[in-house]
Amino acid sequence: MVELKTPAQIEQMRAAGRVVADALAAVRKAASVGVSLRELDEVAREVLRSAGAVSTFDGYQPGFAPAPFSGVICTSVNDAVLHGLPSDLRLQDGDLLNVDCGASVDGWCADAATSFCVGTPWAEDLDLIATTERALAAGIAAAVDGGRITDIGAAIGRIGKDAGLGTNLDFGGHGIGRRMHEEPHLANGGRAGRGLKLRAGHVFAIEPWFWTGPSSAYRIDPDGWTLRSTDHTRGAHAEHTVAITPEGPRILTSQ
């Protein structure tokens, strides 16, 4: 069952979305050569603490994970693209960093991610980030009352395919509300015009992620969480929590 949220509930999710946006902005500002991923996690943790928000990541343990997640943000570097555990790894010049954050305020959740370069950027990384953000914008534009759930993934997948990027359908967007992960799953590809009919009140976390290489294969590190490309190509991830409204899609995780 996919729950429809009332306008008042969407406003509550917007409050959580602002906290997530603030945490991501603070992490981006703090990320520089020599800073550790664990130090960035502390930056985000303080933002959540100051806002009275609860992390939806810290202690989370889905079925695939051998242990609960230990952090309030995912920090994935270079060929890692999803679920990277904060660690003592220190950022180096030219790193590509993907940061994902989720928070709950008064029982309502929001989830967002961003990717950016540390120090001197690689041109290929800037192109990858721009394409990933363009795919996110296309997915959001497809989240309209009366559409179909696969319209979102088809719009995302089309951009990744046209750019020759590696795309995997195992992990993707999802419903969100009282819990961070709700039905349905939103694959970053597929054919449009199928599945759930979109209605005002649906809220989804829309999140394209791509690699520069054409392969869609990945492996998971021994930590049981960090997901990285098998061919060592670098990846980018972008995400917003988006509500479908009669006026069109509304991003809940912007500042």
Side-chain angles (χ1 to χ4, degrees), residues 197-248:
K197 186 173 182 179
L198 303 178
R199 296 170 58 190
H202 282 139
V203 183
F204 305 116
I206 300 174
E207 50 178 317
W209 55 283
F210 300 126
W211 285 299
T212 51
S215 173
S216 63
Y218 64 85
R219 64 180 175 86
I220 297 177
D221 283 0
D223 63 25
W225 279 98
T226 306
L227 185 154
R228 66 180 72 240
S229 62
T230 57
D231 59 5
H232 306 295
T233 54
R234 289 150 79 105
H237 178 203
E239 178 183 16
H240 272 307
T241 296
V242 179
I244 296 177
T245 77
E247 296 74 36

Side-chain angles (χ1 to χ4, degrees), residues 10 19 54 62 78 107 122 124 131 149 163 181 183 199 203 254:
I10 289 172
V19 177
V54 176
N78 297 335
W122 294 13
E124 296 88 346
T131 302
I149 190 68
H181 288 123
E183 293 296 327
R199 296 170 58 190
V203 183
S254 61

Side-chain angles (χ1 to χ4, degrees), residues 139-148 151-152 197-200 244-245 248-249:
I140 292 172
V144 294
D145 190 10
R148 294 285 180 176
D151 297 350
I152 298 171
K197 186 173 182 179
L198 303 178
R199 296 170 58 190
I244 296 177
T245 77

Side-chain angles (χ1 to χ4, degrees), residues 43-238:
V43 169
R45 193 179 294 271
E46 180 56 32
V47 172
L48 268 62
R49 184 185 300 116
S50 297
V54 176
S55 171
T56 55
F57 288 12
D58 201 16
Y60 181 61
Q61 187 174 9
F64 68 82
F69 193 83
S70 55
V72 302
I73 54 174
C74 298
T75 50
S76 306
V77 182
N78 297 335
D79 62 336
V81 66
L82 293 179
H83 307 157
L85 285 167
S87 68
D88 292 327
L89 177 73
R90 295 192 177 276
L91 295 169
Q92 298 182 25
D93 187 50
D95 278 345
L96 171 55
L97 177 61
N98 308 317
V99 183
D100 194 350
C101 182
S104 173
V105 173
D106 295 329
W108 291 94
C109 303
D111 187 6
T114 188
S115 297
F116 55 89
C117 299
V118 177
T120 308
W122 294 13
E124 296 88 346
D125 290 345
L126 294 176
D127 288 343
L128 174 63
I129 292 169
T131 302
T132 306
E133 291 177 346
R134 187 158 49 89
L136 174 59
I140 292 172
V144 294
D145 190 10
R148 294 285 180 176
I149 190 68
T150 59
D151 297 350
I152 298 171
I156 290 170
R158 189 177 308 114
I159 287 178
K161 182 178 180 180
D162 289 348
L165 300 177
T167 306
N168 189 284
L169 306 185
D170 290 354
F171 295 92
H174 49 89
I176 186 169
R178 301 175 193 272
R179 293 175 290 113
M180 177 171 60
H181 288 123
E182 297 183 348
E183 293 296 327
H185 170 69
L186 279 69
N188 288 319
R191 294 178 59 184
R194 297 184 173 190
L196 176 74
K197 186 173 182 179
L198 303 178
R199 296 170 58 190
H202 282 139
V203 183
F204 305 116
I206 300 174
E207 50 178 317
W209 55 283
F210 300 126
W211 285 299
T212 51
S215 173
S216 63
Y218 64 85
R219 64 180 175 86
I220 297 177
D221 283 0
D223 63 25
W225 279 98
T226 306
L227 185 154
R228 66 180 72 240
S229 62
T230 57
D231 59 5
H232 306 295
T233 54
R234 289 150 79 105
H237 178 203

